[in-house]
Amino acid sequence: MTARETVLGRIRDALALAPTPEVTVPRAYRTGRTLPDEERLALFVDRLVDYKAHVHECTADRTAAVIAEVLRERGARKVGVPAGLDPAWLAAYDGEIQQDSTDIPAPQLDALDGVVTASAVSCAETGTIFLDGSSDQGRRALSLVPDLHVCVVDLSSLVVGVPEAVARLVPERPTTLISGPSATSDIELERVEGVHGPRILDVVIRVDA
């Protein structure tokens, strides 16, 4: 018997002898908080800008125009989109559009200049956008591999805090949390962007949707 097997065997024996009382996890979170649309939006934008995301507010009827303008400014000539994204959102874009599929290996997504997705819910207090893998948001790789992510957020899906956001999510769905562009710091606190996801995050907020 190896040392590892001995240690694991002792742990199993100890667990078998230990009492197993039921444990109640407290769930007394603050929930149901609300703010007027203007305050909720201002807080969200403040957090996004602080995280170095780029914010574009527009009405729903200008969604396509704003997305096209953002993609042109970023020099994005080929963008990926999830299968369920509203095609009208890309109607003003004159570049190449690639609809994503699980048949496309994740490494090939690096050939895209960017990606455009919708979002499930967003949290104003933390500036966090939640993607839940729905058809208009796509698989996680699609929003993580390309260097540019253009994400559309409807004001109606913006809530105050994390508990309110989590309450809108389906626990069984794969959830991606986005708080600004991907970034990290080394031991000397030098900020490096694009390490774990898109280096550039453009958030299009539809203020009447």
Side-chain angles (χ1 to χ4, degrees):
M1 180 178 292
T2 65
R4 178 177 182 275
E5 291 170 337
T6 299
V7 170
L8 292 177
R10 290 175 179 174
I11 292 174
R12 282 191 292 270
D13 292 341
L15 291 174
L17 295 173
T20 55
E22 291 188 5
V23 176
T24 301
V25 178
R27 303 291 186 187
Y29 309 126
R30 292 185 299 170
T31 59
R33 290 176 295 162
T34 60
L35 283 174
D37 286 351
E38 295 79 6
E39 293 183 29
R40 212 166 66 252
L41 177 60
L43 180 59
F44 184 51
V45 170
D46 177 75
R47 297 294 189 268
L48 289 173
V49 171
D50 189 51
Y51 294 150
K52 302 186 184 301
H54 305 274
V55 180
H56 314 269
E57 297 179 31
C58 70
T59 53
D61 62 350
R62 285 195 35 83
T63 304
V66 172
I67 290 176
E69 182 180 352
V70 170
L71 293 174
R72 280 194 294 268
E73 289 180 352
R74 299 296 180 202
R77 300 304 306 161
K78 182 178 181 181
V79 300
V81 298
L85 191 75
D86 186 346
W89 289 6
L90 276 298
Y93 174 62
D94 58 2
E96 181 182 350
I97 300 172
Q98 176 178 293
Q99 182 171 297
D100 190 40
S101 165
T102 53
D103 295 332
I104 301 174
Q108 290 186 14
L109 298 175
D110 192 44
L112 298 172
D113 296 318
V115 58
V116 179
T117 75
S119 56
V121 64
S122 297
C123 171
E125 199 167 58
T126 63
T128 304
I129 301 169
F130 295 73
L131 308 184
D132 68 359
S134 294
S135 63
D136 59 357
Q137 297 155 53
R139 55 178 171 156
R140 181 168 291 158
L142 180 65
S143 60
L144 292 180
V145 176
D147 197 40
L148 164 67
H149 183 187
V150 179
C151 187
V152 179
V153 173
D154 289 343
L155 182 58
S156 61
S157 70
L158 176 62
V159 297
V160 176
V162 172
E164 290 81 14
V166 171
R168 293 197 181 192
L169 297 170
V170 179
E172 293 78 17
R173 299 194 65 84
T175 305
T176 302
L177 280 64
I178 303 170
S179 295
S182 171
T184 189
S185 297
D186 62 18
I187 195 169
E188 295 179 350
L189 299 182
E190 291 290 336
R191 180 183 172 93
V192 180
E193 298 178 348
V195 177
H196 309 111
R199 184 172 52 89
I200 303 169
L201 174 64
D202 280 282
V203 182
V204 177
I205 305 176
R206 308 199 307 170
V207 296
D208 61 344

